[in-house]
Amino acid sequence: MKYQKFPTTIETFGKKFRLAIETFVYLQQKTNKKTARMITKTILKQVIYEQRRKSSGTIVTRQIDAKQTDCPEVLVISGVRRCGKSTLLQQIRNSRKECDYSINFDDERLIHFTVDDFQILSEVFMEEFGPQTTYYLDEVQNIVGWERYVSRLYSSGAKVFVTGSNANLLSRELGTFLTGRHVTHTLYPFSFGEFITARGITIARDTMYTTEGRASLYRLFVEYLHTGGFPQYVFSNNDNYLSALYNDIIYKDVLVRNNLTNERQIKELMFYLTSNIGHRFTFNSLAKQTGIKSADTAKAYFTYIESTYLIGQLNKFDYSSGIQLRSPKKSYCIDNAIINKIGFNATENIGSLLENAVYIELMRRGGELFYFAGKGECDFIVRHGIKVTKAIQVTVTMDDEKTRKRELTGLAEAMRAFSLKKGTI
């Protein structure tokens, strides 16, 4: 009998031994993690005061509706990395009496900051600056559970401004604790008008009506089509900065955040999309063109990139949402500088750059954007609510009769489809 029980005894002992080892390792990791992520008041004070010293007056005033900044709801400023969200937040701070409760979470010293540390942060704010009811939380999506803290602040009567660079995270988190308690402002890189201001040029009212003025504007616009509107790149024209920005978005916001390792496929997907601005695609065709194993994987990768605001997709307009989902899409990029940096022969394709610039401007102005396809095609359809309000074609020139006929035919068809009296080319 002893020999019959011996194997069971050994097996039981082995299980208990493994369990003991696993428990020890788990507790050790938990202890190390707790120690490593400890956030102290001293660290928070260093971060807050050093960030305050770096803050400076804005060079280009970004446009935002005063109704959004003055409303009682939480204001969420979202957009791609380095498009100027922190500058806009600073601009808002400069315009308000209470401006001290401010911190940027995109700081390596806060890498272990958790939702539990918000209470310590509140205590530091109070100790250093006295009681205030206005909070400025920059790149807050880096902190898991941030929406709970912001919801608590809102419930206590505080006005809160937050910024973030991930559309999916923000929408998911805002939809839990902050439904009906927030308004969103999407910030884009510089518009053409802001680009001109950044260049230190003042445009007079009569500029468009003089030969010299029109020629000057044309030169500036061609430069804008190639340089894009990322503020730091506009000021420095440093290609290394642009490369670093693009890699930061791909590595930090796409690969690391989504636990991906296949960098090559992600970059090949971006290369294909930026080389085919405004062209129709399906996720099956994306998978085939880029070597991605399936349409579902291609769709997932596209969604990850889209959530960083780096690219956006345009659906075909149809009153049936099912047909919209099944129809081919078009893709556009958040800024022409990225197209020029990574796309194929983008600098020679002025038509794609112009169409992309129009897409960005239409997105900046608001409304839902689609493309129209019937017998012909119209590049952009703008809908506000349930009503289509605009039909827009984009072309560099209509000197060629074939091009002119194509553009006019597609526009006229769209105007008839939506009973529009006016269209734009």
Side-chain angles (χ1 to χ4, degrees), residues 317 319 366-370 381-391 415 417-421:
F317 183 89
Y319 289 105
E368 290 184 272
L369 216 55
F370 303 87
I381 296 296
V382 183
R383 184 175 72 179
H384 288 88
I386 61 172
K387 183 175 176 60
V388 172
T389 57
K390 293 179 181 177
M415 291 168 61
F418 304 112
S419 302
L420 297 173
K421 295 182 179 180

Side-chain angles (χ1 to χ4, degrees), residues 185-201:
H185 175 79
T186 303
L187 187 67
Y188 294 86
F190 283 159
S191 66
F192 180 48
E194 290 168 333
F195 173 83
I196 291 175
T197 302
R199 284 283 183 263
I201 299 170

Side-chain angles (χ1 to χ4, degrees), residues 62 78-86 187-190 229-231:
R62 308 306 299 272
S78 63
V80 69
R81 276 180 182 264
R82 303 295 179 261
C83 70
K85 297 186 300 297
S86 297
L187 187 67
Y188 294 86
F190 283 159
F230 278 112

